Amino acid sequence: MKSKFFATSGIIAALYIAVSLLIAPFSFGALQLRLGEILNHLVVFNKKYFYAIIIGVFITNLFSPNGPIDLVFGVGQTLLSLGLTILSARYIKSIVHRMIFNTVVFTFMMWLIAWELNIVLHLPFGYTWLTVAAGEAIIMAIGIPIMLALNKRLYVKCWGE
């Protein structure tokens, strides 16, 4: 079972990296549409995907033009957001409602990315928070029906179990 979990985690991390770097110019700036963020919804189905997503974000951010600070802020934002979503599972039983909660949490937590861009690129915090949050909300909202459809076809909850 452990080898299946590690293989699945590796595939998820690699997928996150590949789809995020596919449109790299839109994955790191004030206007972000990081496609890999759709995979954040995997923790709604199984909290074990937490590690795969964190690894995917970490490796993706190694390619960031913003430098090593993106490892701290980007991974930190994902870690906090995924953690809140995992904790919410105790109180929110519906998969769809947890995905909506996950979308709201990730969107709100983009203040960390706005802060990072304020430090590195001297972009205005409020406006940058608005732009990166809007991009995150769009990607995560698009991800809800995609992940629900994948779950119907592949039963995502059992990957790696």
Side-chain angles (χ1 to χ4, degrees), residues 1-13 51-52 55 160:
M1 288 300 202
K2 284 186 180 184
S3 60
K4 186 176 180 183
F5 168 73
F6 287 123
T8 303
S9 295
I11 291 167
I12 291 168
Y51 303 104
I55 291 167

Side-chain angles (χ1 to χ4, degrees), residues 140-159:
M140 295 289 287
I142 290 169
I144 292 173
I146 292 170
M147 296 309 288
L148 289 171
L150 275 174
N151 188 47
K152 280 186 180 174
R153 294 275 291 153
L154 303 172
Y155 195 56
V156 176
K157 186 172 184 151
C158 291
W159 291 358

Side-chain angles (χ1 to χ4, degrees), residues 38-66:
I38 290 172
L39 297 174
N40 292 329
H41 286 306
L42 286 173
V43 298
V44 168
F45 297 98
N46 188 329
K47 64 184 176 185
K48 290 181 181 180
Y49 300 136
F50 172 88
Y51 303 104
I53 296 164
I54 294 294
I55 291 167
V57 171
F58 181 85
I59 294 172
T60 298
N61 286 0
L62 288 173
F63 296 93
S64 172
N66 299 329

Side-chain angles (χ1 to χ4, degrees), residues 68-124:
I69 194 170
D70 208 3
L71 295 173
V72 175
F73 283 86
V75 173
Q77 185 267 352
T78 302
L79 191 125
L80 290 171
S81 299
L82 290 175
L84 287 170
T85 298
I86 290 168
L87 287 174
S88 78
R90 294 180 181 171
Y91 309 103
I92 305 171
K93 298 304 176 194
S94 163
I95 294 289
V96 174
H97 291 146
R98 275 193 297 205
M99 293 176 95
I100 292 168
F101 178 82
N102 194 32
T103 299
V104 170
V105 168
F106 267 90
T107 299
F108 175 77
M109 293 299 288
M110 291 304 282
W111 68 268
L112 277 165
I113 306 306
W115 186 20
E116 171 197 344
L117 294 173
N118 176 262
I119 293 168
V120 175
L121 302 176
H122 309 290
L123 297 173

